[in-house]
Amino acid sequence: MEPLDLLLASRKVGFVLSGGSARCAFQVGAIETLLSLGVRPGLLVGVSVGSWSAAAVAVGHAHRLRYYWRAFGRMPHVDLKNLWTHHSPYIYSRVHARCFERYVGTTRLRSAATLPLFVGVTRLADRRPAWFDARSLERPLELFLASNYLPPFYTHAPRLAGERYGDGALSDNLPYEKALEEGCDALVLLTMKGESEGGLFKGPYDTDHVLPPEVAERTVVIRPRHRLPIRFAETRWEPIVRLMDLGRLRAREVLLGERHPETDLCARGTAPSALFTRFLKRRPRS
């Protein structure tokens, strides 16, 4: 069955949005294409940066995703006074708090119309993955900050249910199993590792993941052709919007069989994340 036909014929489609720093702007354009073609999610699972976009879609604000990203990039991200309180000059927590309430909102998350939304995190005590329903938490912002927690951008890991959690991508960057567990019969995986780089990045210890056959047959993977040339913490609008537009075209390639030369965009050299992964693999896993 063709990818688009599979999704349109499915009873409950799950959108799974991986992490990938600023490269996740690619997901915005892909979501725009999916929705324009009539593919509506019944559930979302988000990890790290992907969790913010997943939240906006869950509350019905997919049409405001570009505004969300632009607002985040335009705010100051450094304040030296933050060194005294959070031991870091970065103020991402404050910026996220302002943007989250404007483009997602705690009240909207609790609305009956909000789609099921699960956010993946890593329990720091044992580096194991965990998932929380964002709709059920008293302070959902803490969940999203936990899924994005990486020093030095954040220095105090949030507590959820009495335990500290960090970036979800450190344990499971592509938790499609959670979407299946919640009853989805088809999946869209929006992930950032380029096809030319190899298999899917599911985590630092599973960098070339291959979907099991029974999962692959009901899954549509939308990812870049190659590694995207963008800084890890990029906030400038021009490169961000370029990736959004690339994601929109790449989704059309996957779903409609089109071909767009813009999707051949490719970064040079080895990805910094690949070097970080090699370092982690040398360390014993607890």
Side-chain angles (χ1 to χ4, degrees):
M1 187 180 292
E2 294 299 316
L4 183 56
D5 294 335
L6 168 69
L7 299 177
L8 293 177
S10 297
R11 175 183 53 83
K12 184 177 182 180
V13 179
F15 284 13
V16 181
L17 282 69
S18 79
S21 66
R23 291 176 297 169
C24 290
F26 172 95
Q27 297 170 343
V28 174
I31 290 169
E32 290 172 348
T33 291
L34 284 159
L35 296 180
S36 72
L37 294 174
V39 180
R40 299 288 186 269
L43 173 145
L44 295 108
V45 182
V47 174
S48 194
V49 175
S51 66
W52 303 106
S53 294
V57 175
V59 301
H61 280 183
H63 63 289
R64 301 185 71 193
L65 272 172
R66 293 194 180 223
Y67 299 105
Y68 191 170
W69 276 73
R70 189 164 196 179
F72 181 84
R74 293 176 69 175
M75 293 182 186
H77 293 85
V78 173
D79 183 348
L80 294 180
K81 292 182 291 186
N82 204 52
L83 285 166
W84 298 103
T85 55
H86 289 79
H87 312 112
S88 169
Y90 296 105
I91 56 172
Y92 284 104
S93 295
R94 283 154 52 185
V95 177
H96 273 306
R98 290 181 62 185
C99 290
F100 178 81
E101 281 305 319
R102 182 174 182 180
Y103 293 99
V104 180
T106 300
T107 302
R108 294 189 197 96
L109 269 180
R110 294 178 180 147
S111 166
T114 295
L115 296 171
L117 170 63
F118 294 90
V119 175
V121 290
T122 299
R123 187 166 53 212
L124 297 182
D126 56 8
R127 287 184 277 176
R128 302 299 300 170
W131 297 270
F132 290 86
D133 185 341
R135 302 170 302 171
S136 64
L137 296 184
E138 182 179 351
R139 299 173 63 190
L141 176 64
E142 294 299 306
L143 171 62
F144 293 93
L145 292 176
S147 192
N148 285 261
Y149 169 78
L150 274 180
F153 304 105
Y154 307 89
T155 52
H156 300 287
R159 287 187 181 273
L160 304 171
E163 294 196 66
R164 292 199 180 276
Y165 289 88
D167 197 301
L170 294 177
S171 56
D172 192 346
N173 189 49
L174 204 58
Y176 57 83
E177 298 93 341
K178 183 61 179 174
L180 294 173
E181 178 186 310
E182 295 296 327
C184 293
D185 58 340
L187 302 176
V188 177
L189 305 189
L190 298 167
T191 190
M192 307 319 307
K193 184 180 176 183
E195 286 185 345
S196 64
E197 297 180 272
L200 301 172
F201 182 88
K202 191 160 172 60
Y205 299 96
D206 188 1
T207 58
D208 284 298
H209 185 73
V210 176
L211 296 174
E214 65 276 12
V215 175
E217 66 184 11
R218 48 178 168 157
T219 299
V220 175
V221 179
I222 301 177
R223 59 170 171 157
R225 289 187 177 276
H226 310 289
R227 183 168 73 88
L228 298 174
I230 193 167
R231 297 185 303 176
F232 182 86
E234 181 64 80
T235 58
R236 294 173 300 159
W237 183 240
E238 184 177 351
I240 290 290
V241 77
R242 186 182 188 189
L243 260 59
M244 291 178 178
D245 292 339
L246 189 150
R248 178 177 52 81
L249 294 176
R250 181 66 183 131
R252 293 188 65 86
E253 290 184 338
V254 172
L255 296 169
L256 300 174
E258 298 177 353
R259 184 67 174 92
H260 298 276
E262 295 92 336
T263 63
D264 290 326
L265 186 68
C266 182
R268 297 179 180 178
T270 303
S273 58
L275 300 175
F276 177 65
T277 295
R278 292 172 194 168
F279 168 75
L280 284 181
K281 285 185 174 180
R282 295 193 187 102
R283 301 176 61 191
R285 189 178 184 184
S286 56

